[in-house]
Amino acid sequence: MGNVGLFYVGAVLFLNSFLLLGKIHAKSAAIFNLFIGFMQVVFPILILIEANGDKWLIFNTAGTFLFGLTYLYVGFTNLLQLDSTGVGLYSLWVAIIAIAYSLIDFLYFHDIKFGIIWLMWSFLWGLFYVLLGLKKEISIFTGWVTFIESWITATIPAFLSMIGIWQNVSDNLAITIAILFSLIVIFLFRKTRNN
């Protein structure tokens, strides 16, 4: 996924976190989801047209579609006030695929930072499955996780990449952030479990 696309993944996750926290109306969030969803589908199609069979370009572009189709599905579901079960089940499939992307980053590309980020995204899509597919009331917990991930998995990495210093972020720092994130997730789960 390109840095600009990743940057706007951060924006839509940020907005959706406030939706999950009950701070904005679903139809209001739907418009931005649709806008970013279309962007995350149209631009990858243009990339695929020019891919010339480059398997890794196709692989990475397919990952962008995971996001674009999620945002389109969420946007139309919220705008039309549809049942969320389909979005939840799609999220389960994406959570599983995100694990595969993580493994490719770890084992093939030796990219610890994006391997961790894909695991975090898998966790987030897993939460969407539990919330939207299984209808478990974890919206506050999911909202806070979405808020945090909007920054540490998308906005900040994209911003640092765009200004040319993402490569200076060490794997050890990424691992430390992942451990801190895990501890915060445990704290948030305990704090929101009975609310």
Side-chain angles (χ1 to χ4, degrees):
M1 178 183 318
N3 295 329
V4 173
L6 184 60
F7 193 64
Y8 285 99
V9 165
V12 76
L13 288 176
F14 179 78
L15 183 70
N16 286 342
S17 73
F18 288 98
L19 169 64
L20 291 163
L21 294 169
K23 303 298 183 186
I24 59 171
H25 190 273
K27 285 189 175 183
S28 175
I31 302 302
F32 195 65
N33 275 273
L34 290 172
F35 182 73
I36 300 302
F38 281 119
M39 182 179 85
Q40 296 277 6
V41 168
V42 171
F43 292 152
I45 289 172
L46 297 174
I47 291 169
L48 287 177
I49 291 169
E50 299 294 323
N52 292 324
D54 181 332
K55 69 177 182 179
W56 291 116
L57 181 59
I58 293 168
F59 176 79
N60 287 324
T61 303
T64 304
F65 282 115
L66 297 174
F67 292 89
L69 294 174
T70 298
Y71 303 136
L72 288 176
Y73 207 165
V74 168
F76 282 118
T77 297
N78 288 343
L79 191 64
L80 302 174
Q81 298 178 321
L82 303 174
D83 177 72
S84 65
T85 305
V87 176
L89 291 172
Y90 172 71
S91 295
L92 172 62
W93 181 80
V94 175
I96 295 166
I97 298 301
I99 291 171
Y101 271 81
S102 175
L103 290 173
I104 293 296
D105 273 328
F106 282 131
L107 302 175
Y108 186 83
F109 292 116
H110 307 288
D111 186 343
I112 301 299
K113 293 179 286 194
F114 264 94
I116 290 170
I117 287 173
W118 273 107
L119 282 179
M120 289 181 176
W121 286 333
S122 176
F123 175 66
L124 186 59
W125 268 303
L127 290 179
F128 293 147
Y129 164 65
V130 172
L131 176 67
L132 303 172
L134 299 179
K135 311 291 189 190
K136 301 294 183 185
E137 186 40 58
I138 59 165
S139 58
I140 300 300
F141 173 66
T142 305
W144 281 111
V145 172
T146 304
F147 177 82
I148 295 166
E149 286 205 22
S150 76
W151 292 101
I152 65 173
T153 69
T155 306
I156 293 170
F159 186 81
L160 294 178
S161 291
M162 287 188 290
I163 62 172
I165 61 173
W166 174 248
Q167 69 277 7
N168 297 337
V169 175
S170 71
D171 291 345
N172 288 336
L173 178 58
I175 292 167
T176 302
I177 291 170
I179 292 168
L180 288 173
F181 171 75
S182 300
L183 294 173
I184 291 168
V185 163
I186 293 167
F187 169 78
L188 286 171
F189 181 72
R190 290 181 175 172
K191 186 163 179 62
T192 61
R193 181 174 45 184
N194 298 322
N195 291 343

